[in-house]
Amino acid sequence: MTHRVSLSFLPKGAAFSAAAEDGAADGSLRHIEGTAFAVGTPSGPSADGARYQFAGLPDNADELLDVVNEHDGWSDPIGRLAAPFALGEDGALVPGRVRIFDTQAGRDVLTLAAEGVKGGFSVAAAFDEFDEDEAGVRHVNAWSAIHLGVVRSPAFTESRGLTLAASAATTPERNTMPPEALPPVVELPTIAELAAQVEAHQASASRANVHPLAQFSSHADFWKAFQEGEESDRQRLAAAFALGSQVTTNNPGVMLPTWRTGLVANLDKRRPVIQAFGGSIGLVDSGLTSSWPFYDGDLDAMVAEQVAQFTQLTGVRIDIKQATAGIKTAGVASEMSYQLLLRSSPSYLAMHNQITDAAWYRFTEAVFEAAIAAASTELGTGSTLPAIAAGAKPTAFNGKIFEASMAVEDATGAPAEFVLCSDTIFKELGAADLPNPENSNGGGTPNATGSSTASKLRVNVNGLEHIRAPFLTGAQVIVSNSTAAKFAESGAMTATQDQITKLGQEVATWGMYVPAEVYCPAGVVRLDRTV
């Protein structure tokens, strides 16, 4: 079977650069440069949650591959490689240099990259087989590159920061700068040399800011120096009293207002339940429905003893069922004036997209939690959740969680990995008698039921991490492991359209998703209590 995945690589230490070219009236260019992928280095997690490591260049390394936007249009390129793939000087990083077409889609990508929204490259790869090691990294020996994507959220945060410039003029696929015009290579100072430079700078700055009268401990010392000093010294000391105080409050005309350029979105913290089930996976390749197989029969009733030789074994029918769910679409759109896009600093578009990304994460978390709760299975006769008294050890609650973990193991073959708690239960656990592990010298508390800490909003009962699920309702918990279900999505994508008559642009953040793919409903165990 041929595998198709999109992967982002960026080992630490990789650099991004761009060189000016002839042909653009303003000296800018239509090229983007960065690390396309690496050889011998694991990638960031792909859409299937796995990491891949290439043993060498792709079989089609000599082709000038298409460049696409976010892997969206697998057949709609916005550019093309300016040079075939080849190992860099370090023998590991493979640089990617792409030429962006002078089309609307190409100009949009250049603008987003220049504003810091597009942060790296991601290579789409196809291969037939791989070997997986103990750490879960899949090693690929032979593969083909499909295309290179200019992406918004690379697998590694270090991959943000492509160097980019854009020009309306067509740029040739070669570097027209003569070698003598390239900037010289500058050797970076050592740590010791850099420390010495900083120390000298601080000493100089300190001396420059000392007031002339600071050397005297009293008025008497100053008066003695004034009387006994040379005429030049006396003039200098007298002038010290006449120095005007120049402070910022008296000079507002030269004090420019400044802004922080970052916006904290904390995207990784906005989908705790989706992350608990192993993170999101990609949607199926085509169509608007997703289907998956599952089996919910009784394994314990399947195999029976052959009571005597040649007696017939008990027959059993094994039904592998099919679950189907529609692929849904959601999003948000905004109108932005060209003036706002061009004159905002920090970039309004970049911050707008960070906010809509956070909204997408929050929306999909709510959808997934609701779908998981609807598809879950009650613990049975023991599904009523015990009360958790404030200041007491949650012993009865602990017993129910242990029982639910046994049910998860019976259904999936592995015990529970986490417990999802509604706000009501999470607050009760926070008020229960669970020691704070940070007050135990890092060694935990022997024989304790569990632990909790408000500074990290973490609760652990009987070795199971209890995760706050903000959209679960009432007094409810769900016990499961990462194999029982998944959330499938395309991810947050961006669509733009110019409004020429309004001098503006429509920008939409949107995506497609399946509310939940539950592979083993009996392995998603629910306990409730009426509140």
Side-chain angles (χ1 to χ4, degrees):
M1 180 180 70
T2 300
H3 304 269
R4 286 159 58 103
V5 296
S6 56
L7 308 168
S8 295
F9 292 78
L10 194 77
K12 291 183 178 178
F16 297 93
S17 62
E21 297 194 28
D22 296 332
D26 58 356
S28 57
L29 40 106
R30 297 194 60 82
H31 280 176
I32 305 177
E33 296 185 356
T35 297
F37 59 90
V39 171
T41 300
S43 72
S46 65
D48 59 10
R51 302 177 69 196
Y52 294 85
Q53 180 173 321
F54 296 145
L57 292 172
D59 297 335
N60 59 337
D62 57 341
E63 295 181 16
L64 293 180
L65 299 178
D66 287 345
V67 177
V68 301
N69 180 22
E70 292 286 350
H71 301 292
D72 292 346
W74 288 69
S75 59
D76 299 324
I78 61 167
R80 189 155 293 146
L81 285 180
F85 286 141
L87 288 175
E89 294 181 358
D90 59 0
L93 298 182
V94 178
R97 189 165 189 267
V98 305
R99 178 172 59 88
I100 302 299
F101 297 153
D102 189 17
T103 62
Q104 182 60 54
R107 290 191 293 271
D108 289 344
V109 167
L110 287 171
T111 300
L112 292 172
E115 294 290 348
V117 178
K118 298 292 181 180
F121 285 153
S122 177
V123 64
F127 45 87
D128 294 329
E129 57 186 18
F130 57 81
D131 298 318
E132 187 166 349
D133 61 22
E134 295 180 355
V137 176
R138 298 177 175 181
H139 297 262
V140 180
N141 292 321
W143 63 289
S144 297
I146 303 173
H147 62 240
L148 190 66
V150 181
V151 295
R152 179 174 186 173
S153 299
F156 302 136
T157 55
E158 293 92 338
S159 61
R160 300 184 184 277
L162 287 175
T163 300
L164 157 93
S167 167
T170 301
T171 304
E173 292 186 13
R174 56 188 176 82
N175 187 354
T176 58
M177 281 193 70
E180 60 272 13
L182 294 173
V185 177
V186 179
E187 185 175 352
L188 295 176
T190 65
I191 297 298
E193 292 171 342
L194 194 58
Q197 293 175 20
V198 171
E199 183 179 6
H201 172 75
Q202 289 179 334
S204 174
S206 176
R207 289 192 299 271
N209 293 328
V210 172
H211 195 277
L213 302 182
Q215 57 184 305
F216 306 110
S217 60
S218 67
H219 289 88
D221 290 339
F222 164 75
W223 183 248
K224 182 179 180 182
F226 183 83
Q227 291 295 331
E228 297 176 357
E230 299 291 338
E231 182 62 26
S232 59
D233 293 333
R234 297 173 72 173
Q235 292 178 0
R236 177 178 60 83
L237 293 173
F241 282 106
L243 292 176
S245 298
Q246 308 300 336
V247 296
T248 58
T249 54
N250 295 337
N251 296 274
V254 294
M255 300 304 298
L256 296 178
T258 57
W259 294 86
R260 299 285 185 188
T261 58
L263 180 69
V264 178
N266 286 334
L267 295 183
D268 293 340
K269 303 296 184 182
R270 297 189 180 276
R271 302 208 292 192
V273 175
I274 292 177
Q275 292 302 317
F277 279 93
S280 64
I281 61 174
L283 293 173
V284 292
D285 290 339
S286 60
L288 288 176
T289 57
S290 178
S291 300
W292 58 93
F294 71 94
Y295 176 72
D296 59 358
D298 186 358
L299 295 176
D300 296 336
M302 187 175 295
V303 177
E305 178 188 359
Q306 185 187 33
V307 295
Q309 296 182 37
F310 291 111
T311 58
Q312 186 171 340
L313 294 175
T314 302
V316 63
R317 198 176 90 181
I318 299 175
D319 296 330
I320 299 177
K321 300 178 181 180
Q322 178 184 10
T324 301
I327 296 176
K328 300 178 179 295
T329 303
V332 59
S334 301
E335 285 186 334
M336 304 177 193
S337 70
Y338 282 161
Q339 293 88 339
L340 177 61
L341 291 172
L342 295 175
R343 303 295 296 177
S344 56
S345 179
S347 166
Y348 175 80
L349 179 60
M351 290 193 171
H352 168 277
N353 287 343
Q354 278 188 273
I355 293 169
T356 54
D357 268 1
W360 171 262
Y361 274 53
R362 188 79 171 167
F363 170 79
T364 51
E365 172 73 6
V367 165
F368 185 63
E369 288 186 24
I372 287 296
S376 61
T377 302
E378 287 188 347
L379 188 58
T381 56
S383 64
T384 300
L385 200 61
I388 305 173
K393 294 186 182 297
T395 307
F397 176 85
N398 179 25
K400 288 295 183 183
I401 296 303
F402 199 96
E403 182 183 352
S405 183
M406 294 168 58
V408 172
E409 183 181 50
D410 289 343
T412 67
E417 298 174 6
F418 51 82
V419 179
L420 309 176
C421 303
S422 68
D423 279 357
T424 298
I425 300 301
F426 203 72
K427 291 176 184 177
E428 290 181 5
L429 289 171
D433 181 15
L434 296 173
N436 187 327
E438 296 182 358
N439 295 333
S440 306
N441 298 321
T445 305
N447 300 322
T449 304
S451 61
S452 68
T453 170
S455 63
K456 296 183 174 71
L457 277 183
R458 295 188 64 177
V459 173
N460 187 294
V461 178
N462 205 352
L464 278 178
E465 195 75 16
H466 285 50
I467 300 169
R468 179 191 171 218
F471 298 102
L472 287 185
T473 58
Q476 186 178 86
V477 302
I478 293 177
V479 185
S480 190
N481 60 32
S482 58
T483 65
K486 285 288 186 290
F487 178 72
E489 65 171 343
S490 64
M493 300 180 290
T494 302
T496 62
Q497 175 177 283
D498 284 326
Q499 297 176 306
I500 301 300
T501 58
K502 295 183 178 181
L503 291 180
Q505 189 176 74
E506 293 179 351
V507 178
T509 298
W510 70 287
M512 295 179 289
Y513 63 93
V514 175
E517 294 185 3
V518 180
Y519 309 126
C520 189
V524 184
V525 180
R526 187 182 77 257
L527 295 94
D528 293 281
R529 183 199 327 136
T530 302
V531 292

